[in-house]
Amino acid sequence: MSEKEDTSAEAENITSQFREESNLQLVEEPGFIKETSNLLKEASEEEPRDQICKTDPRNDTLEIHDNTSTSSSGSKSKRNEEEKKTLQISKTITRYDSSQLITETLSVNEMTAESEISADFLAHETLGKISPQLTEENQKGVDLGLDNFTVNLKAKGLQEFPKDILKIKYVKYLYLDENQIKSFEGAESCDLTGLEILSLQDNGLSTFPSEIQLLHNLKILNVSHNQISHIPKEISQLRNIRQLFLNNNYIENFPSGLESLRNLEILSLAKNNLRYIPNTLCILKNLSVLNLEYNQLTIFPKVLCFLPKLISLNLTGNLISSLPKEIRELKNLEKLLMDHNKLTFLPVEIFRLLKMQELQLTDNKIEVISHKIENFKELRILILDKNLLKEIPEKISHCVMLECLSLSDNKLTELPKNIHKLKSLRKLHVNRNNIVRIPEDISYLNNMFSLEFSGNIITDVPIEIKNCRKITKVKLSYNKIIHFPVGLCALDSLHYLNINGNYISEVPVDISFSKQLLHLEFNENKLLIFSEHLCSLIKLQYLDLGKNQIRKIPACISNMASLHVLILCCNKFETFPIDVCTLANLQVLDFSENQIKKIPSEICNLKGIQKLNISNNQFIYFPIELCQLQSLEELNISQINGTKLTRLPEELFNMTQLKRLDISNNAIREIPRNIGELKSLVSLNAYNNQISYLPPSFLSLNDLQQLNLSGNNLTALPSGIYNLFSLKDINFDDNPLLRPPMEICKGKQLYTIARYLQKADERDEKILEKIFKIVANNITETNFQFLCQKLNLPISETDMSTKSTVSLSERVLQALDRWKMESNNLSLTTAALRDQLTRSLTMIGAYEIMDKITALKLFTCAIKF
C-alpha cells in the first residue's frame, strides 16, 4: 500500500504501538487484573481453610479481558499480546480506597473471561457429573483452576447452566463464554450467591437470565457479544457489582436500573445503539472508567461531567460535534478518547483538566488547538491525526511530560519552533502534511525512538539528526529527498528505515556503518545499481529495492546471510542473478515486472524459500527449475504484461507445500492431470487463460478455499465439485459454461452450483437409460456387433452361449450397462458417455436410432429442471 493512501488503521493503532515499544506506564480502560487478584486474595482470607485448597501464590492473578471494543483497529493477535501484559502505573491511577484497588491495564475494554490458571483439578469421574451438556471430549478441556474457586467452561457446547458443578465445588469465578446458555434454570439460589465473577460472552443471549438478581455478591459481570436489547430492572439488585460489561449488544436505551449500582467503578457499553444518556447516571459517584465508544450519541452528555471520580472516558466512534463547558468539572479525568467524531473545536474549558495524561482526537474536523494546551503538564499521549490543523501552538512546549505526539493527515507546513523543548518526546509522527523541512533542533530530542515524516515535501534531513541516538525507527517515504540522509547512518540503534518514493540515485558508503539495520525500504527511487555498500548490512532481514532501475546484483550479496525478504520488482533485470541463490535464509523473493527469460538451476539452493513472485517477465515456458523448491508455499507467475505461458509441467506436483498458486493472465490450455497431488493448495488463481477442462484429480484438492477460473473456455464443471468442502470463494465468470449455465454461476455460490450439477446428473442418468432402451429396442444383430467394436466392448463366451436363450434387446442392455460401469471407473461423466455412444451409432450408420435419440434430446431440452 502506498504511503499516500488512506491509513486510518495506522492512525488508530499508533497508541498501542507506542505503549508496546516504549513500555509507558500509562492508564488504559477498563482493567481487572489487579482487581481479580484482590478478589482471590479476599476470598482466601475470608473463607474457612477447609473450603479452599492451598494455592501457589504465583497463580493468584487471573487475567480477564475482552479485546473486541478497543478503539485501536490493530490485528487481533497484537491486541491479545497486549492484553497479556500487566503494566505498572507510574502515577498511581488507583484513586480508590484500599478496598477497591482497581488497576487499569492495556486495551481491555471488555473481559475475555479466560483464566490463565488451568489444571485438571477433578478426576474424570467427577467431571462426568458436571453437566449433561458436557461431552466426553469437552470434559477433557474443562479448566477448574488450582485455586479451587475458578471454573472455565469456555466453548464447551453447553446449552444449560452447569448447575451440578456448583454443588461439588465452591465456585466464585465462573466463565461460560461461547456457549448457548439462555438461563440459570435448575440452579439453586444458595449456589449462585457465592459467585463474584461471571462471564457469559457470546452465548446468543437476547435478554438477561431472570436469575441474575440472585447474584448478590457478584462483583464483575460480562455479557458482551450477545443480542441483548433490554436490561431488566432486576439488575439493580446487584448491589456489590463493581465492573459491568455490556459491549457489542443491541441496547438502544440506557439501562434504567444502573443508577442503583452505587459501587460500580467500571461500566462498558461499547458498540451498542445508544442515542441518549440519562441524567440519573451522575448518581454513580464511584464510576472511574466509562466506555461508550461506537454508539449513536450526537451530543456530549453533560451528565458525564458530574462523575467526580471519572478517570477514563471513551466516546470514540460517535457523532458528537462539540464539548460542553461543563467538561471542566471532570477534575480527575486522565484519559479522553474521542476519535472518529465530528468535533470542530475544543472549548478552552477542556484545558482545565490538569490531570489529563492521554488525549485522542483522530478523525475529527478540528482546525485550531488553543494555546491553553500549556496547562496539560501531565499529558503523555496526544493524537490529533486526520483533522484540519494548519499549525500547532508554540505553547505545546510546556507539555513537558509528552512522550507521544501524532499529527499525521493534517495541513501543517511546519512544526512549532520550540518543539525541541519536549525532552520526553519518544514518538513523533507527522505523516502526510505539507512539511517542508525538519528543524535542526530535533537533535535535542534525544529520547526519541520513532520518527515519521512520510508524505510531505521535505528535500533533505538535517545532519543533526545523528544526535538522536535512541531512534530505532524512521519513516521518510514519499518526500522530495535527493540525497541519502547520511546523519541516519550514525544512529547506532536504528533498525527500521523506510525511504520509499524519493529521488535518491546513490547509496553512500556511510550506510556501511548501519550494521544494526534490520529493515530497509528503498522502493521507488532512482537507483541505477545495487550498491555494494548495502552488502555490508549483514544483519539486514528485509530489503526492498523495487521500482528502481537496477540491472545487476554484486557477488558480495552473499554476505547478507540474514536476509529473509528481498524485493527487486519493477527493475531492469534481463537475467536472474545467480548470486541471489546463495542467500540460504531467504524466505520471500520478488522479481516481478522485469525482463527475465530463464531461471537458473541454482535456485534449488534456496532451501527455505516460501514465497516467490516472478510474474510479468519474459519466460517462454514455465521454469521447470521451480519444481525443485519443495519448501515453496506461494508462487505467482501471472503474466499480464509478460510473455504468455501455454502449459504447466507435470513436475508441478513436486511442490508439495504449495498453498497459493497464481497462473492468471497466461495462455494455458489445460491444468496438469496430476494437480490433485498439490494437497496443500488453498488458493488457485487461473483467470484469463484458455482452460477448457478440469481434470478428475482436481476434485482431490480438499484444502482449496479460493478458486478463480474466470475468463477461460470452460463449458462444464465437474459434478464432484461439491465435495470440495473447504471452497468458499469461487469465480467462473466469462466462461462459455453450459453445465451449469452462467446465470447459475454468477452468484458465486458453491451450494447453488453444486445443487444444479446434482440435479443435472440425475437428469442425465435418466436420459442415458432411455437412450440405452432406444438402442436395445431398435438395433440389429449386425449393428450390435459393430457397436461393440466401436465401444471397445468385447463379446464374451457367455454372451455367445446365451444368444439363443436371451433376446437381443436384453443382451444389448447388459452390454451397455457393462460398458457404462467400465467407463465410470475411468471417471467419465454421464454426458461424456452419451456423446461417445451417439458418435459410435453415427459411425456404424444406425440413422434410425439416431433420429429417435435426437427427438428425445429435443424433448428433454424443452423441459426445465
Side-chain angles (χ1 to χ4, degrees):
M1 179 183 292
S2 169
E3 290 283 344
K4 295 182 179 179
E5 292 179 9
D6 183 76
T7 53
S8 62
E10 171 199 331
E12 293 180 354
N13 205 23
I14 185 171
T15 49
S16 62
Q17 292 175 348
F18 177 58
R19 295 184 190 107
E20 183 176 347
E21 293 172 9
S22 63
N23 198 24
L24 276 180
Q25 299 172 333
L26 291 175
V27 183
E28 278 297 332
E29 67 182 16
F32 326 100
I33 293 180
K34 198 166 183 178
E35 164 69 4
T36 310
S37 178
N38 291 334
L39 292 177
L40 295 175
K41 185 177 179 182
E42 290 171 12
S44 63
E45 290 173 352
E46 295 169 4
E47 297 302 322
R49 292 186 178 181
D50 59 344
Q51 287 186 327
I52 304 174
C53 67
K54 294 181 180 179
T55 63
D56 186 334
R58 292 171 297 180
N59 290 331
D60 254 5
T61 300
L62 198 63
E63 296 192 8
I64 309 169
H65 311 283
D66 180 351
N67 60 3
T68 305
S69 64
T70 61
S71 61
S72 167
S73 64
S75 67
K76 187 173 181 179
S77 60
K78 185 174 288 186
R79 291 201 302 263
N80 287 341
E81 233 176 61
E82 290 177 345
E83 288 171 357
K84 292 182 180 177
K85 296 179 181 176
T86 306
L87 299 186
Q88 303 295 327
I89 298 177
S90 59
K91 286 212 165 187
T92 309
I93 217 57
T94 52
R95 300 290 190 244
Y96 319 92
D97 55 48
S98 59
S99 66
Q100 293 166 322
L101 286 173
I102 299 181
T103 302
E104 297 183 324
T105 52
L106 284 181
S107 300
V108 283
N109 293 335
E110 306 170 48
M111 301 185 297
T112 57
E114 279 191 68
S115 171
E116 291 289 325
I117 306 169
S118 59
D120 294 330
F121 185 76
L122 299 182
H124 181 76
E125 296 81 18
T126 307
L127 292 177
K129 301 175 183 178
I130 290 176
S131 171
Q133 257 60 39
L134 281 178
T135 64
E136 183 176 348
E137 179 181 351
N138 285 336
Q139 290 170 12
K140 294 177 182 177
V142 174
D143 182 355
L144 295 175
L146 286 173
D147 50 60
N148 201 30
F149 40 71
T150 298
V151 173
N152 187 350
L153 295 173
K154 178 182 177 181
K156 300 301 177 186
L158 301 178
Q159 296 183 6
E160 297 178 3
F161 187 82
K163 54 186 181 298
D164 294 333
I165 199 169
L166 300 181
K167 298 184 181 299
I168 62 174
K169 176 179 171 62
Y170 186 77
V171 179
K172 283 194 171 187
Y173 314 121
L174 182 58
Y175 308 110
L176 300 172
D177 302 331
E178 298 178 29
N179 287 291
Q180 290 296 318
I181 299 170
K182 307 298 183 187
S183 72
F184 297 170
E185 185 178 353
E188 297 181 9
S189 58
C190 59
D191 294 330
L192 296 174
T193 52
L195 288 176
E196 294 186 7
I197 296 177
L198 175 62
S199 186
L200 281 164
Q201 291 187 89
D202 198 7
N203 269 269
L205 292 171
S206 57
T207 184
F208 263 61
S210 58
E211 299 87 352
I212 202 82
Q213 60 185 316
L214 302 176
L215 309 179
H216 299 305
N217 291 313
L218 200 64
K219 295 183 179 179
I220 299 177
L221 174 62
N222 190 343
V223 288
S224 298
H225 301 282
N226 283 289
Q227 289 131 37
I228 297 170
S229 58
H230 174 70
I231 307 297
K233 291 184 178 180
E234 285 79 7
I235 197 172
S236 62
Q237 301 300 315
L238 305 180
R239 303 289 184 179
N240 291 311
I241 197 160
R242 297 182 188 177
Q243 303 173 16
L244 177 59
F245 302 91
L246 299 160
N247 302 321
N248 291 83
N249 280 287
Y250 302 124
I251 301 169
E252 295 185 1
N253 298 312
F254 196 87
S256 59
L258 292 187
E259 63 270 14
S260 300
L261 309 181
R262 303 299 177 88
N263 291 316
L264 197 62
E265 296 163 351
I266 297 176
L267 174 61
S268 192
L269 279 155
K271 297 186 179 179
N272 280 283
N273 298 312
L274 295 173
R275 297 177 182 273
Y276 172 74
I277 306 299
N279 292 332
T280 53
L281 185 67
C282 63
I283 298 174
L284 302 180
K285 299 298 183 182
N286 288 311
L287 200 62
S288 62
V289 176
L290 178 60
N291 185 357
L292 295 171
E293 69 174 348
Y294 294 102
N295 277 280
Q296 301 295 318
L297 300 174
T298 56
I299 298 175
F300 187 107
K302 287 187 180 180
V303 65
L304 304 185
C305 301
F306 303 102
L307 297 170
K309 292 187 178 181
L310 197 63
I311 292 174
S312 176
L313 175 60
N314 189 347
L315 288 165
T316 293
N318 281 281
L319 304 167
I320 298 169
S321 58
S322 63
L323 302 178
K325 295 180 179 179
E326 289 80 1
I327 199 171
R328 62 178 177 264
E329 302 299 328
L330 292 173
K331 303 296 186 183
N332 290 306
L333 194 66
E334 298 185 4
K335 177 177 179 180
L336 176 61
L337 305 183
M338 292 200 65
D339 299 333
H340 310 297
N341 276 280
K342 297 183 179 298
L343 297 175
T344 56
F345 71 98
L346 297 179
V348 292
E349 286 79 8
I350 195 174
F351 299 106
R352 295 189 189 181
L353 308 182
L354 304 184
K355 293 184 179 181
M356 186 70 72
Q357 291 190 21
E358 180 172 348
L359 180 60
Q360 293 192 37
L361 298 167
T362 295
D363 192 19
N364 280 279
K365 300 182 183 302
I366 301 170
E367 296 184 8
V368 177
I369 299 293
S370 169
H371 67 277
K372 293 290 185 181
I373 197 172
E374 65 181 336
N375 295 335
F376 284 166
K377 308 294 187 188
E378 300 293 325
L379 191 65
R380 300 190 180 191
I381 296 179
L382 177 60
I383 312 294
L384 294 169
D385 298 340
K386 290 192 175 182
N387 279 283
L388 303 173
L389 297 171
K390 293 182 179 180
E391 62 178 1
I392 301 298
E394 297 290 332
K395 294 293 183 70
I396 197 173
S397 62
H398 292 266
C399 303
V400 292
M401 299 294 290
L402 195 61
E403 299 185 24
C404 175
L405 175 60
S406 189
L407 303 167
S408 297
D409 298 289
N410 279 283
K411 298 182 178 181
L412 303 174
T413 56
E414 62 179 0
L415 296 177
K417 291 183 175 59
N418 53 6
I419 195 172
H420 63 277
K421 293 182 179 180
L422 298 175
K423 303 293 187 182
S424 299
L425 202 60
R426 306 183 70 183
K427 197 165 193 174
L428 176 60
H429 289 186
V430 201
N431 300 311
R432 295 172 296 280
N433 279 276
N434 297 309
I435 303 291
V436 177
R437 58 184 290 273
I438 299 175
E440 292 82 0
D441 290 344
I442 198 171
S443 61
Y444 292 99
L445 302 177
N446 47 27
N447 281 310
M448 184 74 63
F449 72 82
S450 179
L451 186 66
E452 296 187 9
F453 277 88
S454 294
N456 285 283
I457 48 178
I458 297 166
T459 55
D460 59 65
V461 179
I463 190 69
E464 288 81 2
I465 199 172
K466 66 182 181 181
N467 296 320
C468 302
R469 311 295 294 184
K470 295 182 181 179
I471 286 186
T472 62
K473 184 176 184 178
V474 174
K475 287 187 175 182
L476 295 166
S477 59
Y478 298 99
N479 278 283
K480 307 292 183 182
I481 300 171
I482 298 174
H483 301 292
F484 189 93
V486 293
L488 299 177
C489 301
L491 300 177
D492 298 332
S493 301
L494 187 65
H495 65 74
Y496 183 106
L497 174 59
N498 184 338
I499 201 162
N500 291 340
N502 281 284
Y503 298 88
I504 300 170
S505 59
E506 187 176 351
V507 178
V509 65
D510 306 68
I511 202 169
S512 303
F513 299 109
S514 300
K515 302 291 186 184
Q516 75 295 331
L517 203 60
L518 302 176
H519 185 111
L520 176 58
E521 295 187 37
F522 223 127
N523 192 295
E524 207 170 336
N525 276 274
K526 303 296 181 182
L527 298 178
L528 297 175
I529 63 170
F530 188 118
S531 173
E532 292 187 0
H533 305 316
L534 293 174
C535 299
S536 300
L537 306 178
I538 56 176
K539 292 185 179 179
L540 200 66
Q541 298 177 4
Y542 184 106
L543 177 59
D544 184 355
L545 293 172
K547 297 183 181 180
N548 282 283
Q549 299 175 46
I550 301 170
R551 295 176 181 273
K552 296 181 180 180
I553 288 180
C556 56
I557 193 175
S558 59
N559 296 334
M560 306 178 78
S562 300
L563 208 57
H564 291 161
V565 177
L566 178 58
I567 300 174
L568 291 163
C569 63
C570 303
N571 276 283
K572 302 292 184 181
F573 290 98
E574 295 182 359
T575 59
F576 189 99
I578 295 179
D579 294 304
V580 168
C581 301
T582 63
L583 302 174
N585 292 311
L586 201 62
Q587 297 175 7
V588 178
L589 179 60
D590 187 347
F591 264 109
S592 59
E593 299 280 354
N594 281 284
Q595 301 296 315
I596 299 171
K597 298 178 180 178
K598 187 178 179 182
I599 299 293
S601 59
E602 286 83 356
I603 198 170
C604 66
N605 295 328
L606 299 179
K607 302 293 186 184
I609 194 75
Q610 296 176 9
K611 298 181 182 180
L612 178 62
N613 188 345
I614 52 173
S615 60
N616 299 315
N617 277 280
Q618 300 299 323
F619 302 111
I620 299 173
Y621 57 87
F622 186 97
I624 199 168
E625 293 82 5
L626 300 180
C627 300
Q628 305 173 62
L629 302 176
Q630 295 188 7
S631 62
L632 198 63
E633 295 181 2
E634 296 186 21
L635 173 62
N636 187 343
I637 196 166
S638 173
Q639 297 293 99
I640 191 169
N641 294 322
T643 303
K644 307 295 184 184
L645 303 176
T646 57
R647 62 178 296 273
L648 298 176
E650 295 291 333
E651 291 83 356
L652 192 68
F653 75 90
N654 290 333
M655 294 190 282
T656 54
Q657 300 302 312
L658 200 62
K659 294 181 179 178
R660 299 182 181 277
L661 176 61
D662 190 340
I663 54 172
S664 55
N665 298 301
N666 281 286
I668 296 169
R669 295 185 177 87
E670 61 181 24
I671 291 178
R673 55 185 176 81
N674 56 0
I675 192 166
E677 298 294 324
L678 299 179
K679 300 294 185 183
S680 300
L681 200 63
V682 172
S683 172
L684 175 60
N685 282 314
Y687 55 88
N688 294 343
N689 278 282
Q690 298 173 19
I691 300 166
S692 58
Y693 169 69
L694 296 179
S697 71
F698 185 86
L699 301 176
S700 300
L701 299 175
N702 295 322
D703 290 339
L704 195 64
Q705 297 178 18
Q706 186 263 333
L707 174 63
N708 191 338
L709 283 165
S710 60
N712 278 281
N713 296 327
L714 293 171
T715 57
L717 298 180
S719 301
I721 197 170
Y722 58 82
N723 290 322
L724 298 178
F725 299 115
S726 301
L727 198 55
K728 299 172 185 175
D729 183 3
I730 55 175
N731 191 343
F732 297 112
D733 291 351
D734 300 319
N735 278 280
L737 279 169
L738 300 173
R739 188 179 181 279
M742 262 319 299
E743 55 265 26
I744 298 294
C745 297
K746 279 183 178 178
K748 298 179 174 60
Q749 297 294 320
L750 183 61
Y751 173 80
T752 305
I753 294 172
R755 186 66 178 155
Y756 178 94
L757 291 174
Q758 284 177 321
K759 287 188 174 181
D761 281 348
E762 294 170 3
R763 183 173 187 259
D764 288 346
E765 282 287 341
K766 292 178 180 178
I767 293 173
L768 189 61
E769 287 178 10
K770 290 182 179 294
I771 291 175
F772 281 3
K773 289 181 180 178
I774 291 173
V775 173
N777 293 333
N778 295 277
I779 199 167
T780 64
E781 184 70 49
T782 303
N783 279 342
F784 176 49
Q785 303 295 326
F786 289 147
L787 181 63
C788 289
Q789 292 176 13
K790 294 297 181 183
L791 297 177
N792 295 319
L793 190 62
I795 300 176
S796 65
E797 294 181 2
T798 306
D799 292 334
M800 296 301 293
S801 62
T802 58
K803 184 174 181 180
S804 58
T805 58
V806 179
S807 66
L808 174 62
S809 62
E810 289 180 5
R811 285 190 289 118
V812 172
L813 283 175
Q814 291 172 2
L816 291 175
D817 285 339
R818 189 166 67 250
W819 168 71
K820 176 185 173 185
M821 187 178 299
E822 292 173 355
S823 298
N824 285 341
N825 292 335
L826 299 175
S827 301
L828 291 177
T829 63
T830 304
L833 291 176
R834 183 187 62 207
D835 292 342
Q836 185 178 346
L837 179 58
T838 53
R839 283 197 303 270
S840 298
L841 289 168
T842 302
M843 293 171 67
I844 65 173
Y847 299 118
E848 291 183 6
I849 296 176
M850 282 304 302
D851 288 343
K852 294 180 183 294
I853 293 175
T854 301
L856 174 65
K857 285 183 179 180
L858 291 172
F859 175 74
T860 55
C861 286
I863 301 174
K864 291 187 177 181
F865 69 100

